[in-house]
Amino acid sequence: MDLTWSAAEDAFRAEARAWLEANLAAWRADVGGEPASGDTREGFAQHLAWERRLFADRWAAVSWPVEHGGRGASLWEWLLFEEEYYRAGCPPRVTQNGIFLLAPSIFEFGTPEQQAGILARMAGAEDLWCQGWSEPNAGSDLASVASRARRVDGGWVLDGQKTWTTRGAFCTHLFGLFRTDPDSARHKGLTYLLVPLDTPGVTVRGFGRLDGDEGFAEVSLDEAFLADDAVPGGVVLGQPEGGWAVAMATAGSERGLTLRSPGRFLATAERLLALAQAKGDTVLRRRAATAWMHAQAYQQQTLATVTKLAAGAKPGAEASLTKLWWSELDIELHEVALDLLGSAAELEGPWSKAWQFALSGPIYAGTNEIQRNIAAERVLGLPR
C-alpha cells in the first residue's frame, strides 16, 4: 500500500476540516449547545438540521456523483472526510441507514430513474430511510423472513411485521425483504421493496429503550397496498424474487467500512489516551495503549481494503471480518474508559451511553456468531 497522501488529498482534508469546524460551531449555537440524542424526537430534528447543512455544501455524501448531491470524491477522500468528521466531534449521522446502507445497493441495482429520484432526496434528508430486516421470528437468520408481498394490478399488497427498526419512529420510508413466492423457502422467492411509511395499512409503533431513547419501532403491514410508482422509478430494487442478492449487497455495506469507518474509532482512541493520561495507573494505561493500537490496525486494514476496491474488487465475505473487528474494538475502547473512570463511570454520560450502544455492535448487522461462520466457511474455506 502507498501510505502517503497526494497534495490534492491534503487540500481536500484541509477544506473539510475548515468547513466542519466552522459549521459545527454554528449548528451547536443554533441548537443551544450540545444536541439531544438522535434517537429521541427532539434530537432527531436537531440532527436533521445538521444533515441538511452538510448537504447544502455537498458534504453529506462526498463520494457520490455531483448529479446526486455529492462531490465525486474518491474512496480515499471519503476516508479523509470521515477522519476529519469524527476528529471535529461531529454528531452521528441519523440518515446513515439510507446513505451508507441503501444507497450503495441503489447504485449497484437501481435503475437510472430510481437513482435520479431517490438519492438526492436521501442525501438532503428529505426522505428518511429505515431498514426492514428483522422480524419477530427472523433475527440473525434473515432467510427466514415471513412478511409477504402479493402481486396485484398496479402494485403489491403487503402483510407482516418488521421489528427492531432503528429510528423507524421518525423515518418516512422503509427498505426490506418480503416473500413474494408463497411456496418458496429460505433465500428463494424474496423481493427487495422500497416502502413509504405513510402507505395505508402500514402502522409504525415506536417504543422506548432502557436508556430512554425512543427511535426504535415495530412496523406492521396489514393488507397495505404499495403502488408500483410509490417511489420514483418503482418500488422493486433489483429483480422480483431476486431480493436475496440485493440484500446481501446491503448487508455487505452494513458489515463493511461504509457504516463504521476507521475515523470513528481513531477519534475515540485519542480521547481514551487523553483519559488514561489524566486518570490511569500503569496497567490501565497499557490497556488504553493496546486499544489505541487496535484502532490503528483497523485503519491499516481499511486502507488495504480500499486499495482492492479502487482496483475494482468487491468486498465479499471479508466484510464479516471487518464487522467482527470494529464491533469488538468499540466495546474494548469503552470498557477501558469505564475502568479508568471507576466509580465515576455512571456519572460520565458520554462514555457510559456510548458503551451501552457498543454492546449492541456484536448483534446488529448480523450477530458475530454468524459472522464467524461466514468468515470460516467463505474466507478460510473450512467445512460447514
Side-chain angles (χ1 to χ4, degrees):
M1 294 184 296
D2 182 355
L3 298 180
T4 60
W5 300 106
S6 68
E9 288 163 341
D10 284 337
F12 180 89
R13 182 195 287 274
E15 181 185 3
R17 178 176 293 191
W19 189 94
L20 289 167
E21 289 178 349
N23 283 270
L24 183 62
W27 172 68
R28 283 190 169 139
D30 288 344
V31 300
E34 196 63 30
S37 165
D39 285 323
T40 63
R41 193 165 296 278
E42 176 192 7
F44 190 80
Q46 293 173 332
H47 283 66
L48 286 184
W50 168 249
E51 303 262 358
R52 288 164 182 156
R53 185 185 285 265
L54 285 170
F55 179 72
D57 286 343
R58 296 184 177 272
W59 292 108
V62 295
S63 62
W64 290 11
V66 172
E67 61 267 28
H68 298 311
R71 288 178 167 244
S74 68
L75 279 174
W76 304 109
E77 290 171 325
W78 174 78
L79 284 175
L80 292 176
F81 175 77
E82 288 284 294
E83 283 188 24
E84 292 304 317
Y85 188 90
Y86 288 104
R87 186 203 65 81
C90 296
R93 302 286 299 275
V94 296
T95 58
Q96 65 182 16
N97 281 355
I99 291 176
F100 296 146
L101 304 188
L102 175 59
S105 296
I106 291 179
F107 278 116
E108 183 174 356
F109 295 95
T111 65
E113 293 76 17
Q114 286 174 319
Q115 293 174 7
I118 295 173
L119 290 170
R121 291 182 59 83
M122 176 192 295
E126 295 181 71
D127 296 336
L128 307 167
W129 293 84
C130 59
Q131 188 178 50
W133 279 173
S134 297
E135 298 180 4
N137 295 307
S140 295
D141 186 11
L142 182 59
S144 64
V145 295
S147 293
R148 303 177 304 281
R150 183 176 79 252
R151 190 75 172 115
V152 296
D153 185 35
W156 303 82
V157 174
L158 311 182
D159 285 283
Q161 183 181 7
K162 301 294 183 178
T163 191
W164 309 119
T165 309
T166 303
R167 301 192 185 95
F170 312 138
C171 287
T172 62
H173 291 69
L174 174 145
F175 60 93
L177 279 182
F178 293 82
R179 194 163 296 283
T180 49
D181 178 357
D183 298 321
S184 67
R186 304 296 296 161
H187 312 88
K188 308 293 185 181
L190 297 171
T191 299
Y192 196 118
L193 294 176
L194 309 174
V195 184
L197 289 174
D198 63 358
T199 300
V202 175
T203 302
V204 179
R205 185 180 72 84
F207 57 90
R209 302 189 315 219
L210 289 176
D211 63 1
D213 287 354
E214 54 186 333
F216 263 19
E218 293 178 342
V219 180
S220 299
L221 307 110
D222 183 10
E223 289 289 298
F225 175 68
L226 177 65
D228 286 330
D229 60 357
V231 300
V235 295
V236 176
L237 185 59
Q239 296 299 316
E241 300 185 5
W244 186 255
V246 188
M248 289 303 95
T250 304
S253 298
E254 185 176 20
R255 296 166 185 166
L257 61 92
T258 55
L259 182 65
R260 294 288 180 259
S261 71
R264 177 189 182 106
F265 304 103
L266 291 172
T268 302
E270 292 295 335
R271 290 173 47 229
L272 179 64
L273 285 188
L275 184 65
Q277 289 169 349
K279 294 181 177 293
D281 59 21
T282 301
V283 173
L284 287 173
R285 287 180 178 179
R286 188 171 294 138
R287 286 178 58 198
T290 299
W292 179 88
M293 287 189 286
H294 289 162
Q296 297 293 321
Y298 179 44
Q299 184 194 38
Q300 299 301 307
Q301 185 264 352
T302 298
L303 293 174
T305 298
V306 172
T307 298
K308 289 186 280 190
L309 293 176
K314 292 186 179 296
E318 289 186 9
S320 291
L321 294 173
T322 301
K323 195 267 175 169
L324 285 166
W325 190 266
W326 61 247
S327 61
E328 296 187 356
L329 170 62
D330 204 15
I331 292 175
E332 179 188 15
L333 290 165
H334 289 89
E335 282 186 342
V336 176
L338 295 189
D339 286 345
L340 284 163
L341 291 166
S343 60
E346 292 184 6
L347 304 177
E348 294 286 341
W351 282 112
S352 179
K353 191 172 180 65
W355 172 74
Q356 293 171 46
F357 180 79
L359 293 178
S360 66
I363 301 173
Y364 68 80
T367 64
N368 282 9
E369 290 80 5
I370 296 294
Q371 303 316 310
R372 286 187 170 85
N373 284 345
I374 293 172
E377 296 169 14
R378 302 180 194 173
V379 179
L380 300 179
L382 299 177
R384 290 177 61 86

